[in-house]
Amino acid sequence: MAATELVSALLLFLLICSSDISSGEKTRRPQPCKRLVLYFHDILYNGKNAQNATSAIVASPAWGDKTTLAVPNRFGDVVVFDDPVTLDNNFRSAPVGRAQGFYLYDKKEILTAWFGFSFVFNSTRLKGAINFAGADDIMKNTRDLSVVGGTGDFFMTRGIATLMTDAFEDDRYFRLRVDVKLYECY
């Protein structure tokens, strides 16, 4: 009789545990250990603005050239950049670092790019770099890139950077708002 009660209690316990697991409740996401909101400003070289340009087309498809983005959807263009990073959306604000890397337009059908870059900080407040990589579906309001590492104040960090196009002027200028949420901080 005691063995039957023990088995019944064990089955009841397993039933309760399995109902908690399968109840469909979302698991709690961890809170970021560090969060930064930064802006980077990109001015594309167009053949006439060498002194102000912070990015340049370094490769283009056979039908393109290096002073205008290719049609359709800029497919095949590779752009390198060294853009100022600021704490607000004002281009004339004092930079806290540089966004250095590249993006390439990788789809014929829609406007999308792939980014690989670092925020390199050189201010008294922030030192080191945060490294980013991933696809950017430019036409969406917000999109996420992976934070894949870092140095200095951001040693071996991991996280997510949510991009939002804050300003856009033809093919000459864009400003991105970057909400960096770090989940591994050392």
Side-chain angles (χ1 to χ4, degrees), residues 85-105:
V85 175
T86 61
L87 294 173
D88 62 23
N89 64 4
N90 185 344
F91 179 72
R92 303 217 186 284
S93 293
V96 294
R98 306 292 295 182
Q100 298 171 328
F102 68 94
Y103 51 95
L104 55 99
Y105 293 98

Side-chain angles (χ1 to χ4, degrees), residues 34-40 83-87 95-100 117-132 147 149-154 157 178 180 182:
K34 190 176 278 195
R35 187 169 183 187
L36 302 164
V37 175
L38 302 162
Y39 294 82
F40 81 88
D83 296 336
V85 175
T86 61
L87 294 173
V96 294
R98 306 292 295 182
Q100 298 171 328
F117 67 98
S118 299
F119 278 176
V120 180
F121 298 101
N122 56 5
S123 69
T124 55
R125 185 171 159 227
L126 301 169
K127 297 265 189 237
I130 303 174
N131 305 315
F132 305 87
V147 174
T151 63
D153 293 344
F154 309 100
T157 195
V178 184
V180 181
L182 304 177

